[in-house]
Amino acid sequence: MLRLLLCLVTVISLTNCQVPPFMEECVNNAYPPPASHKVPTYVVNLDLPAAQRWTHVVKDKGPQIKNLLNEFKSFITDIFHGSQAIVDFIDKAGPLVDETLPQPFADEMRGIANVTGLKLGEIVFFNVFYEFFTVCTSIVAQDPTGKLYHVRNLDFGLFLGWDIKNNTWSVTELLRPMVIMVDFQKGGETVFKSINFAGYVGILTAIKPKLFTLTMNERFNKDGGYIGLLEWIAGQRTGQWMGFLTRNVMEKASSYLEAKVMLQNTEMLAPAYFILGGNATSGPFQQGCVITRAREYPVDVWDMESANGWYILETNYDHWEAPLFLDDRRTPAHHCMGNMTQQGVSIKGLYNVLSSRPVLNKLTTYSALMQVDSGHFEAWLQYCPEPCIPW
């Protein structure tokens, strides 16, 4: 938490500006967004050899992946005063790390590197990055008829290149063209669907139609993912990478309860919040929860029935603690959910909540909207018009 606060203060001083006055709004006319904001869909065939599964995706998105990695490298060298040591380490250590990764993920990353012409180390680094900088808002909500919806904003790019001239985060701007919807199929049938950044093989947002929905939010904690990564490189490999765990859950779990057990009990490299929605909505069987994870064990499992009764909401702070005063998306989100009421729970109503500042901010790359029973899944690129706070 101290690390986050120091970084926020640093951004403010470097940009020579003050934190904008707190702006809370609850919009009611954001849906539907412009058609130009709709996220394209790709099919990934899990029956193909792992190295071939992403070929068509990264052929389309290769230039964007290269641009983003160049920005990452530029940011690193700027922070460390022009030193190439870290960039060289990424290039050299990445292939060695890839050799230690479980299949099919190692081969999928090798295939992406081969198609794009990028170094394998860069692709491995690209797939690690999302474990450390994902700042989000996730909501599971039940409408009056008992249908469960699961929505999220994915905010990414905090501290990664604030553009003073345009009031934007450079990495966030580069990520939006890389957002894709992925239909993972076997035998021509959908296994699950996800929202991915092209080139990333893990899962941050996904639905297994008729069974469950899942989003992941980063948890800021002293045992952060960088510690787990260093331990992995040093040969201590008892934990799973978060994105691989969530991918395994989406492929292998056949129920909400099975997914819940996997997410609670699997040791990981980084702490996280897992927001899980199911398809049952009656009494003690109501299926919606936030799993607060340390690397080795579950810290807390917060069920929707005890949270609110008709919805549960998570940003990036333990629900029993107050959020950081500079980053309180939780209070405005609750306010907008209260204004909407349970009667308003729908794709439209929840998209309006996600589009209300500061839930919507300069870091927001996309909004995802899921309804588990019907298998409905849609995603839209998000842009926050001025005046808009950076985070």
Short mmCIF file of all heavy atoms in Angstrom, two decimals, residues 188-243:
data_model
loop_
_atom_site.label_atom_id
_atom_site.label_comp_id
_atom_site.label_asym_id
_atom_site.label_seq_id
_atom_site.Cartn_x
_atom_site.Cartn_y
_atom_site.Cartn_z
N GLY A 188 -15.04 -27.71 -32.24
CA GLY A 188 -15.98 -26.75 -32.82
C GLY A 188 -16.98 -26.19 -31.85
O GLY A 188 -17.86 -25.40 -32.23
N GLU A 189 -16.89 -26.54 -30.57
CA GLU A 189 -17.82 -26.07 -29.55
C GLU A 189 -17.10 -25.16 -28.55
O GLU A 189 -15.94 -25.39 -28.20
CB GLU A 189 -18.43 -27.26 -28.79
CG GLU A 189 -19.23 -28.21 -29.66
CD GLU A 189 -20.52 -27.59 -30.18
OE1 GLU A 189 -21.07 -26.70 -29.47
OE2 GLU A 189 -20.96 -27.97 -31.28
N THR A 190 -17.80 -24.14 -28.09
CA THR A 190 -17.24 -23.20 -27.12
C THR A 190 -17.00 -23.88 -25.78
O THR A 190 -17.90 -24.51 -25.23
CB THR A 190 -18.16 -21.99 -26.93
OG1 THR A 190 -18.26 -21.27 -28.16
CG2 THR A 190 -17.65 -21.06 -25.84
N VAL A 191 -15.77 -23.75 -25.27
CA VAL A 191 -15.46 -24.19 -23.91
C VAL A 191 -15.67 -23.01 -22.95
O VAL A 191 -16.31 -23.14 -21.91
CB VAL A 191 -14.02 -24.70 -23.81
CG1 VAL A 191 -13.69 -25.13 -22.38
CG2 VAL A 191 -13.79 -25.85 -24.78
N PHE A 192 -15.14 -21.85 -23.30
CA PHE A 192 -15.35 -20.63 -22.55
C PHE A 192 -14.98 -19.46 -23.45
O PHE A 192 -14.39 -19.64 -24.52
CB PHE A 192 -14.53 -20.59 -21.24
CG PHE A 192 -13.05 -20.48 -21.42
CD1 PHE A 192 -12.40 -19.26 -21.34
CD2 PHE A 192 -12.28 -21.62 -21.66
CE1 PHE A 192 -11.03 -19.15 -21.50
CE2 PHE A 192 -10.90 -21.52 -21.80
CZ PHE A 192 -10.28 -20.28 -21.73
N LYS A 193 -15.33 -18.25 -23.02
CA LYS A 193 -15.00 -17.03 -23.74
C LYS A 193 -14.29 -16.07 -22.79
O LYS A 193 -14.57 -16.06 -21.59
CB LYS A 193 -16.26 -16.37 -24.30
CG LYS A 193 -17.01 -17.23 -25.32
CD LYS A 193 -18.27 -16.52 -25.81
CE LYS A 193 -19.03 -17.37 -26.81
NZ LYS A 193 -20.26 -16.69 -27.29
N SER A 194 -13.41 -15.26 -23.36
CA SER A 194 -12.64 -14.34 -22.51
C SER A 194 -12.41 -13.02 -23.24
O SER A 194 -12.62 -12.90 -24.45
CB SER A 194 -11.29 -14.96 -22.15
OG SER A 194 -10.44 -15.00 -23.27
N ILE A 195 -11.97 -12.03 -22.46
CA ILE A 195 -11.42 -10.80 -23.01
C ILE A 195 -9.92 -10.82 -22.74
O ILE A 195 -9.49 -11.01 -21.60
CB ILE A 195 -12.01 -9.54 -22.34
CG1 ILE A 195 -13.53 -9.58 -22.34
CG2 ILE A 195 -11.51 -8.28 -23.04
CD1 ILE A 195 -14.15 -9.49 -23.69
N ASN A 196 -9.13 -10.67 -23.79
CA ASN A 196 -7.67 -10.73 -23.66
C ASN A 196 -7.04 -9.51 -24.31
O ASN A 196 -7.65 -8.87 -25.17
CB ASN A 196 -7.11 -11.98 -24.36
CG ASN A 196 -7.31 -13.24 -23.57
OD1 ASN A 196 -8.42 -13.56 -23.15
ND2 ASN A 196 -6.23 -13.98 -23.36
N PHE A 197 -5.82 -9.22 -23.90
CA PHE A 197 -4.95 -8.38 -24.71
C PHE A 197 -4.19 -9.32 -25.64
O PHE A 197 -3.64 -10.33 -25.20
CB PHE A 197 -3.98 -7.60 -23.81
CG PHE A 197 -4.66 -6.61 -22.91
CD1 PHE A 197 -4.69 -6.80 -21.54
CD2 PHE A 197 -5.29 -5.49 -23.43
CE1 PHE A 197 -5.32 -5.89 -20.70
CE2 PHE A 197 -5.92 -4.57 -22.61
CZ PHE A 197 -5.94 -4.78 -21.25
N ALA A 198 -4.19 -9.02 -26.92
CA ALA A 198 -3.54 -9.89 -27.90
C ALA A 198 -2.11 -10.18 -27.48
O ALA A 198 -1.36 -9.27 -27.14
CB ALA A 198 -3.56 -9.24 -29.27
N GLY A 199 -1.74 -11.45 -27.47
CA GLY A 199 -0.42 -11.87 -27.05
C GLY A 199 -0.35 -12.38 -25.63
O GLY A 199 0.64 -13.00 -25.24
N TYR A 200 -1.42 -12.12 -24.85
CA TYR A 200 -1.49 -12.60 -23.47
C TYR A 200 -2.28 -13.90 -23.45
O TYR A 200 -3.42 -13.94 -23.95
CB TYR A 200 -2.16 -11.55 -22.58
CG TYR A 200 -2.31 -11.96 -21.13
CD1 TYR A 200 -1.19 -12.14 -20.33
CD2 TYR A 200 -3.56 -12.17 -20.57
CE1 TYR A 200 -1.32 -12.50 -18.99
CE2 TYR A 200 -3.70 -12.53 -19.23
CZ TYR A 200 -2.58 -12.70 -18.45
OH TYR A 200 -2.72 -13.07 -17.14
N VAL A 201 -1.72 -14.97 -22.89
CA VAL A 201 -2.35 -16.28 -22.97
C VAL A 201 -3.12 -16.64 -21.71
O VAL A 201 -3.82 -17.66 -21.67
CB VAL A 201 -1.31 -17.38 -23.28
CG1 VAL A 201 -0.57 -17.07 -24.57
CG2 VAL A 201 -0.32 -17.58 -22.12
N GLY A 202 -3.00 -15.84 -20.64
CA GLY A 202 -3.75 -16.08 -19.42
C GLY A 202 -5.14 -15.49 -19.49
O GLY A 202 -5.60 -15.02 -20.54
N ILE A 203 -5.84 -15.51 -18.35
CA ILE A 203 -7.23 -15.06 -18.31
C ILE A 203 -7.42 -14.03 -17.20
O ILE A 203 -7.02 -14.26 -16.04
CB ILE A 203 -8.18 -16.25 -18.05
CG1 ILE A 203 -8.10 -17.26 -19.20
CG2 ILE A 203 -9.61 -15.77 -17.85
CD1 ILE A 203 -8.51 -16.71 -20.56
N LEU A 204 -8.03 -12.89 -17.55
CA LEU A 204 -8.38 -11.86 -16.58
C LEU A 204 -9.89 -11.69 -16.47
O LEU A 204 -10.40 -11.27 -15.43
CB LEU A 204 -7.76 -10.52 -16.98
CG LEU A 204 -6.23 -10.49 -17.11
CD1 LEU A 204 -5.77 -9.16 -17.68
CD2 LEU A 204 -5.55 -10.76 -15.78
N THR A 205 -10.62 -12.00 -17.56
CA THR A 205 -12.07 -11.82 -17.63
C THR A 205 -12.64 -12.94 -18.48
O THR A 205 -12.20 -13.11 -19.63
CB THR A 205 -12.43 -10.47 -18.30
OG1 THR A 205 -11.76 -9.41 -17.66
CG2 THR A 205 -13.94 -10.23 -18.29
N ALA A 206 -13.62 -13.72 -17.97
CA ALA A 206 -14.09 -14.85 -18.77
C ALA A 206 -15.46 -15.34 -18.30
O ALA A 206 -15.88 -15.11 -17.15
CB ALA A 206 -13.09 -16.00 -18.72
N ILE A 207 -16.12 -16.07 -19.20
CA ILE A 207 -17.40 -16.70 -18.92
C ILE A 207 -17.40 -18.13 -19.43
O ILE A 207 -16.89 -18.40 -20.53
CB ILE A 207 -18.56 -15.91 -19.56
CG1 ILE A 207 -19.92 -16.54 -19.24
CG2 ILE A 207 -18.38 -15.78 -21.07
CD1 ILE A 207 -21.12 -15.69 -19.68
N LYS A 208 -17.90 -19.04 -18.62
CA LYS A 208 -18.19 -20.39 -19.05
C LYS A 208 -19.71 -20.48 -19.10
O LYS A 208 -20.36 -20.59 -18.06
CB LYS A 208 -17.61 -21.42 -18.07
CG LYS A 208 -17.48 -22.82 -18.67
CD LYS A 208 -16.39 -23.62 -17.97
CE LYS A 208 -16.09 -24.89 -18.77
NZ LYS A 208 -14.92 -25.61 -18.23
N PRO A 209 -20.29 -20.36 -20.31
CA PRO A 209 -21.74 -20.19 -20.42
C PRO A 209 -22.52 -21.24 -19.63
O PRO A 209 -22.19 -22.42 -19.63
CB PRO A 209 -21.98 -20.33 -21.93
CG PRO A 209 -20.71 -19.84 -22.54
CD PRO A 209 -19.62 -20.34 -21.63
N LYS A 210 -23.53 -20.75 -18.93
CA LYS A 210 -24.46 -21.51 -18.11
C LYS A 210 -23.86 -22.02 -16.80
O LYS A 210 -24.58 -22.60 -15.98
CB LYS A 210 -25.07 -22.69 -18.89
CG LYS A 210 -25.80 -22.28 -20.16
CD LYS A 210 -26.51 -23.45 -20.80
CE LYS A 210 -27.16 -23.06 -22.11
NZ LYS A 210 -28.13 -21.95 -21.97
N LEU A 211 -22.54 -21.80 -16.59
CA LEU A 211 -21.90 -22.34 -15.40
C LEU A 211 -21.36 -21.27 -14.46
O LEU A 211 -21.77 -21.17 -13.31
CB LEU A 211 -20.77 -23.30 -15.80
CG LEU A 211 -21.20 -24.57 -16.52
CD1 LEU A 211 -19.99 -25.39 -16.94
CD2 LEU A 211 -22.15 -25.40 -15.65
N PHE A 212 -20.40 -20.45 -14.92
CA PHE A 212 -19.83 -19.45 -14.02
C PHE A 212 -19.10 -18.37 -14.82
O PHE A 212 -18.81 -18.54 -16.01
CB PHE A 212 -18.90 -20.07 -12.97
CG PHE A 212 -17.71 -20.81 -13.53
CD1 PHE A 212 -16.52 -20.15 -13.81
CD2 PHE A 212 -17.77 -22.18 -13.73
CE1 PHE A 212 -15.42 -20.83 -14.30
CE2 PHE A 212 -16.68 -22.88 -14.23
CZ PHE A 212 -15.51 -22.21 -14.51
N THR A 213 -18.82 -17.27 -14.12
CA THR A 213 -18.08 -16.13 -14.68
C THR A 213 -16.94 -15.79 -13.73
O THR A 213 -17.02 -16.05 -12.52
CB THR A 213 -18.99 -14.91 -14.86
OG1 THR A 213 -19.68 -14.65 -13.61
CG2 THR A 213 -20.02 -15.13 -15.96
N LEU A 214 -15.88 -15.18 -14.27
CA LEU A 214 -14.70 -14.92 -13.45
C LEU A 214 -14.00 -13.65 -13.90
O LEU A 214 -13.80 -13.42 -15.10
CB LEU A 214 -13.72 -16.11 -13.58
CG LEU A 214 -12.33 -15.95 -12.93
CD1 LEU A 214 -12.45 -15.81 -11.42
CD2 LEU A 214 -11.45 -17.14 -13.29
N THR A 215 -13.63 -12.83 -12.94
CA THR A 215 -12.71 -11.72 -13.19
C THR A 215 -11.64 -11.73 -12.11
O THR A 215 -11.83 -12.25 -11.01
CB THR A 215 -13.41 -10.34 -13.20
OG1 THR A 215 -14.11 -10.14 -11.96
CG2 THR A 215 -14.40 -10.25 -14.34
N MET A 216 -10.49 -11.14 -12.43
CA MET A 216 -9.38 -11.03 -11.48
C MET A 216 -9.04 -9.56 -11.31
O MET A 216 -8.94 -8.81 -12.28
CB MET A 216 -8.17 -11.80 -12.00
CG MET A 216 -6.89 -11.59 -11.20
SD MET A 216 -5.92 -10.18 -11.84
CE MET A 216 -4.61 -10.08 -10.62
N ASN A 217 -8.87 -9.12 -10.07
CA ASN A 217 -8.38 -7.78 -9.75
C ASN A 217 -7.08 -7.92 -8.97
O ASN A 217 -6.94 -8.81 -8.13
CB ASN A 217 -9.38 -7.01 -8.88
CG ASN A 217 -10.66 -6.66 -9.62
OD1 ASN A 217 -10.93 -7.14 -10.71
ND2 ASN A 217 -11.48 -5.82 -9.00
N GLU A 218 -6.15 -7.01 -9.22
CA GLU A 218 -4.89 -7.06 -8.49
C GLU A 218 -5.11 -6.69 -7.02
O GLU A 218 -5.92 -5.82 -6.70
CB GLU A 218 -3.85 -6.11 -9.10
CG GLU A 218 -2.49 -6.21 -8.43
CD GLU A 218 -1.47 -5.26 -8.99
OE1 GLU A 218 -1.76 -4.56 -9.97
OE2 GLU A 218 -0.35 -5.20 -8.43
N ARG A 219 -4.36 -7.36 -6.15
CA ARG A 219 -4.37 -7.03 -4.73
C ARG A 219 -3.01 -6.47 -4.36
O ARG A 219 -1.99 -7.15 -4.48
CB ARG A 219 -4.68 -8.27 -3.88
CG ARG A 219 -4.75 -7.97 -2.38
CD ARG A 219 -5.17 -9.20 -1.58
NE ARG A 219 -5.30 -8.87 -0.18
CZ ARG A 219 -4.69 -9.53 0.81
NH1 ARG A 219 -3.91 -10.58 0.55
NH2 ARG A 219 -4.86 -9.15 2.06
N PHE A 220 -2.97 -5.22 -3.92
CA PHE A 220 -1.72 -4.60 -3.50
C PHE A 220 -1.36 -5.14 -2.12
O PHE A 220 -2.11 -4.96 -1.17
CB PHE A 220 -1.86 -3.08 -3.44
CG PHE A 220 -2.35 -2.48 -4.74
CD1 PHE A 220 -3.57 -1.83 -4.79
CD2 PHE A 220 -1.59 -2.57 -5.89
CE1 PHE A 220 -4.02 -1.25 -5.97
CE2 PHE A 220 -2.03 -2.01 -7.07
CZ PHE A 220 -3.25 -1.35 -7.12
N ASN A 221 -0.22 -5.79 -2.03
CA ASN A 221 0.17 -6.39 -0.75
C ASN A 221 1.68 -6.49 -0.68
O ASN A 221 2.38 -6.47 -1.70
CB ASN A 221 -0.47 -7.78 -0.63
CG ASN A 221 -0.65 -8.21 0.82
OD1 ASN A 221 -1.03 -7.41 1.67
ND2 ASN A 221 -0.37 -9.47 1.10
N LYS A 222 2.20 -6.62 0.54
CA LYS A 222 3.65 -6.65 0.71
C LYS A 222 4.29 -7.87 0.08
O LYS A 222 5.46 -7.85 -0.28
CB LYS A 222 4.00 -6.56 2.19
CG LYS A 222 3.48 -7.72 3.03
CD LYS A 222 3.83 -7.52 4.49
CE LYS A 222 3.27 -8.65 5.35
NZ LYS A 222 3.59 -8.46 6.78
N ASP A 223 3.52 -8.97 -0.06
CA ASP A 223 4.07 -10.16 -0.74
C ASP A 223 3.69 -10.12 -2.21
O ASP A 223 3.13 -11.05 -2.75
CB ASP A 223 3.60 -11.45 -0.07
CG ASP A 223 2.10 -11.66 -0.15
OD1 ASP A 223 1.37 -10.66 -0.36
OD2 ASP A 223 1.65 -12.81 -0.04
N GLY A 224 4.00 -9.00 -2.85
CA GLY A 224 3.60 -8.77 -4.23
C GLY A 224 4.18 -9.77 -5.21
O GLY A 224 5.09 -10.54 -4.92
N GLY A 225 3.63 -9.75 -6.43
CA GLY A 225 3.99 -10.74 -7.43
C GLY A 225 5.45 -10.71 -7.83
O GLY A 225 5.99 -11.73 -8.27
N TYR A 226 6.10 -9.55 -7.69
CA TYR A 226 7.52 -9.48 -8.06
C TYR A 226 8.36 -10.41 -7.19
O TYR A 226 9.37 -10.95 -7.64
CB TYR A 226 8.02 -8.04 -7.96
CG TYR A 226 7.84 -7.41 -6.60
CD1 TYR A 226 8.83 -7.50 -5.63
CD2 TYR A 226 6.66 -6.74 -6.28
CE1 TYR A 226 8.66 -6.94 -4.38
CE2 TYR A 226 6.48 -6.18 -5.02
CZ TYR A 226 7.48 -6.29 -4.07
OH TYR A 226 7.30 -5.74 -2.83
N ILE A 227 7.94 -10.63 -5.93
CA ILE A 227 8.66 -11.56 -5.06
C ILE A 227 8.50 -12.98 -5.58
O ILE A 227 9.47 -13.75 -5.69
CB ILE A 227 8.15 -11.46 -3.61
CG1 ILE A 227 8.43 -10.06 -3.05
CG2 ILE A 227 8.80 -12.54 -2.74
CD1 ILE A 227 7.87 -9.82 -1.67
N GLY A 228 7.27 -13.34 -5.93
CA GLY A 228 7.03 -14.67 -6.48
C GLY A 228 7.78 -14.90 -7.77
O GLY A 228 8.29 -16.00 -8.03
N LEU A 229 7.86 -13.85 -8.61
CA LEU A 229 8.59 -13.98 -9.88
C LEU A 229 10.08 -14.22 -9.63
O LEU A 229 10.69 -15.09 -10.27
CB LEU A 229 8.38 -12.72 -10.73
CG LEU A 229 9.15 -12.68 -12.05
CD1 LEU A 229 8.74 -13.82 -12.96
CD2 LEU A 229 8.93 -11.33 -12.74
N LEU A 230 10.65 -13.46 -8.70
CA LEU A 230 12.07 -13.65 -8.39
C LEU A 230 12.33 -15.04 -7.82
O LEU A 230 13.34 -15.67 -8.12
CB LEU A 230 12.53 -12.57 -7.40
CG LEU A 230 12.59 -11.14 -7.96
CD1 LEU A 230 12.92 -10.16 -6.85
CD2 LEU A 230 13.60 -11.03 -9.09
N GLU A 231 11.40 -15.52 -7.00
CA GLU A 231 11.54 -16.87 -6.46
C GLU A 231 11.48 -17.91 -7.59
O GLU A 231 12.23 -18.89 -7.58
CB GLU A 231 10.45 -17.15 -5.43
CG GLU A 231 10.63 -16.37 -4.13
CD GLU A 231 9.50 -16.59 -3.15
OE1 GLU A 231 8.49 -17.25 -3.54
OE2 GLU A 231 9.60 -16.12 -2.01
N TRP A 232 10.59 -17.68 -8.54
CA TRP A 232 10.48 -18.60 -9.67
C TRP A 232 11.79 -18.65 -10.46
O TRP A 232 12.29 -19.72 -10.80
CB TRP A 232 9.32 -18.17 -10.57
CG TRP A 232 9.03 -19.13 -11.69
CD1 TRP A 232 9.71 -19.29 -12.86
CD2 TRP A 232 7.99 -20.11 -11.71
NE1 TRP A 232 9.16 -20.28 -13.64
CE2 TRP A 232 8.10 -20.81 -12.95
CE3 TRP A 232 6.97 -20.46 -10.84
CZ2 TRP A 232 7.22 -21.83 -13.31
CZ3 TRP A 232 6.09 -21.48 -11.21
CH2 TRP A 232 6.22 -22.14 -12.43
N ILE A 233 12.33 -17.47 -10.75
CA ILE A 233 13.58 -17.41 -11.50
C ILE A 233 14.70 -18.11 -10.73
O ILE A 233 15.57 -18.77 -11.32
CB ILE A 233 13.95 -15.94 -11.80
CG1 ILE A 233 12.93 -15.34 -12.80
CG2 ILE A 233 15.36 -15.84 -12.37
CD1 ILE A 233 13.08 -13.86 -12.99
N ALA A 234 14.66 -17.99 -9.39
CA ALA A 234 15.70 -18.59 -8.55
C ALA A 234 15.51 -20.10 -8.37
O ALA A 234 16.37 -20.76 -7.77
CB ALA A 234 15.72 -17.91 -7.19
N GLY A 235 14.40 -20.64 -8.87
CA GLY A 235 14.19 -22.09 -8.81
C GLY A 235 13.16 -22.56 -7.82
O GLY A 235 12.87 -23.76 -7.74
N GLN A 236 12.56 -21.62 -7.05
CA GLN A 236 11.50 -22.00 -6.10
C GLN A 236 10.16 -21.86 -6.81
O GLN A 236 9.65 -20.75 -6.98
CB GLN A 236 11.56 -21.11 -4.86
CG GLN A 236 10.52 -21.47 -3.80
CD GLN A 236 10.61 -20.58 -2.59
OE1 GLN A 236 11.68 -20.08 -2.25
NE2 GLN A 236 9.50 -20.36 -1.92
N ARG A 237 9.56 -22.98 -7.23
CA ARG A 237 8.41 -22.92 -8.14
C ARG A 237 7.22 -23.69 -7.61
O ARG A 237 6.68 -24.57 -8.28
CB ARG A 237 8.83 -23.44 -9.52
CG ARG A 237 9.96 -22.59 -10.12
CD ARG A 237 10.44 -23.09 -11.43
NE ARG A 237 11.56 -22.25 -11.88
CZ ARG A 237 12.73 -22.73 -12.28
NH1 ARG A 237 12.95 -24.03 -12.33
NH2 ARG A 237 13.68 -21.90 -12.66
N THR A 238 6.81 -23.36 -6.40
CA THR A 238 5.67 -24.06 -5.81
C THR A 238 4.35 -23.41 -6.18
O THR A 238 3.31 -24.06 -6.10
CB THR A 238 5.80 -24.09 -4.28
OG1 THR A 238 5.93 -22.74 -3.79
CG2 THR A 238 7.03 -24.89 -3.85
N GLY A 239 4.36 -22.13 -6.56
CA GLY A 239 3.12 -21.43 -6.89
C GLY A 239 2.85 -21.39 -8.37
O GLY A 239 3.74 -21.58 -9.19
N GLN A 240 1.58 -21.15 -8.72
CA GLN A 240 1.18 -21.00 -10.11
C GLN A 240 1.15 -19.53 -10.50
O GLN A 240 0.85 -18.67 -9.67
CB GLN A 240 -0.21 -21.60 -10.36
CG GLN A 240 -0.22 -23.09 -10.53
CD GLN A 240 -1.50 -23.56 -11.21
OE1 GLN A 240 -2.05 -22.89 -12.09
NE2 GLN A 240 -1.99 -24.71 -10.80
N TRP A 241 1.41 -19.24 -11.75
CA TRP A 241 1.18 -17.91 -12.28
C TRP A 241 -0.33 -17.67 -12.29
O TRP A 241 -1.11 -18.56 -12.65
CB TRP A 241 1.76 -17.78 -13.69
CG TRP A 241 3.24 -17.89 -13.76
CD1 TRP A 241 4.05 -18.69 -13.01
CD2 TRP A 241 4.10 -17.17 -14.65
NE1 TRP A 241 5.36 -18.51 -13.37
CE2 TRP A 241 5.42 -17.59 -14.38
CE3 TRP A 241 3.88 -16.22 -15.64
CZ2 TRP A 241 6.51 -17.08 -15.06
CZ3 TRP A 241 4.97 -15.71 -16.33
CH2 TRP A 241 6.27 -16.13 -16.03
N MET A 242 -0.73 -16.47 -11.89
CA MET A 242 -2.15 -16.18 -11.76
C MET A 242 -2.90 -16.45 -13.06
O MET A 242 -3.97 -17.07 -13.07
CB MET A 242 -2.32 -14.72 -11.33
CG MET A 242 -3.75 -14.26 -11.17
SD MET A 242 -4.52 -13.77 -12.74
CE MET A 242 -3.42 -12.46 -13.27
N GLY A 243 -2.37 -15.96 -14.19
CA GLY A 243 -3.07 -16.11 -15.46
C GLY A 243 -3.20 -17.55 -15.90
O GLY A 243 -4.16 -17.92 -16.59
#
